[in-house]
Amino acid sequence: VQILLKLWRNGFSLDDGELRSYSDPINAQFLESVKRGEIPLELQRLVHGGQVNLDMEDHQEQEYVKPRLRFKAFSGEGQKLGSLTPEIVSTPSSPEEEDKSILNAPVLIDDSMPATKIQIRLADGSRLIQRFNQTHRIKHIRDFIIQSRPAFATTDFVLVTTFPNKELTDESLTLQEADILNTVILQQLK
């Protein structure tokens, strides 16, 4: 450990720390150890038996002036304290389940037309991923949810985009008109 001892007219300081008075008996004992060429007990405890290099600077013709603190840039890391989008707690489905929902899909896809994938996060925490043509309507997403999970057939729910949160009220719009291509749609119970 490298330590700098500065001697001032009115006391001494260690490593630009606070001024320590020569008249204090503990400080006098510290300086006596240094004069004898010994490592002061205080420093021995500080380094736990390690090696100490003690450099000295003589400023005895000057009064002690508290050094200005140097600017030290923040070197830590930040933590996000909120979320712009609601947190959806869902059970992660395996790739096999996702593929099954695509393969067994009750939605007819016209392969000659442009298609998109929509991920639907259901109110029960599960999720569905389905291919649709861009010309399919929002109503088709609702029908797909009911066909995939018949329990929702008698439940009143709305479909919402994730960011920005927008309720999809006009179900006659195509997916392209609603600007929800390749997005995540949330099912919210009323």
Side-chain angles (χ1 to χ4, degrees), residues 58-157:
D58 186 7
H59 298 277
Q60 290 184 352
E61 70 283 347
Q62 302 170 5
E63 289 288 320
Y64 170 79
V65 178
K66 188 173 183 175
R68 279 191 254 173
L69 295 174
R70 290 191 200 115
F71 173 76
K72 184 179 178 196
F74 177 69
S75 61
E77 60 183 53
Q79 298 295 323
K80 189 173 171 184
L81 295 177
S83 176
L84 297 174
T85 59
E87 182 179 337
I88 306 298
V89 179
S90 65
T91 54
S93 51
S94 66
E96 294 82 23
E97 288 177 27
E98 290 176 11
D99 290 342
K100 192 170 24 172
S101 70
I102 293 171
L103 295 174
N104 299 336
V107 178
L108 297 174
I109 306 293
D110 182 354
D111 289 327
S112 67
M113 304 278 292
T116 183
K117 252 187 201 178
I118 303 287
Q119 183 183 127
I120 305 154
R121 294 188 181 168
L122 300 174
D124 65 5
S126 63
R127 65 181 174 163
L128 300 170
I129 298 175
Q130 177 60 46
R131 278 186 65 224
F132 292 91
N133 287 117
Q134 294 180 6
T135 55
H136 276 105
R137 304 201 178 274
I138 295 172
K139 180 185 180 342
H140 293 119
I141 295 176
R142 176 180 289 280
D143 294 342
F144 169 72
I145 291 171
I146 292 169
Q147 289 175 2
S148 300
R149 301 286 195 282
F152 290 121
T154 58
T155 308
D156 197 15
F157 64 88

Side-chain angles (χ1 to χ4, degrees), residues 2-39:
Q2 189 77 27
I3 296 178
L4 178 60
L5 171 67
K6 292 184 181 179
L7 301 173
W8 304 94
R9 181 180 302 153
N10 50 344
F12 69 95
S13 64
L14 293 173
D15 286 334
D16 289 331
E18 293 294 318
L19 181 70
R20 297 169 69 166
S21 171
Y22 291 131
S23 60
D24 184 336
I26 294 173
N27 294 338
Q29 188 179 7
F30 182 94
L31 289 175
E32 279 301 314
S33 296
V34 171
K35 286 180 188 174
R36 288 192 305 265
E38 299 170 357
I39 302 295

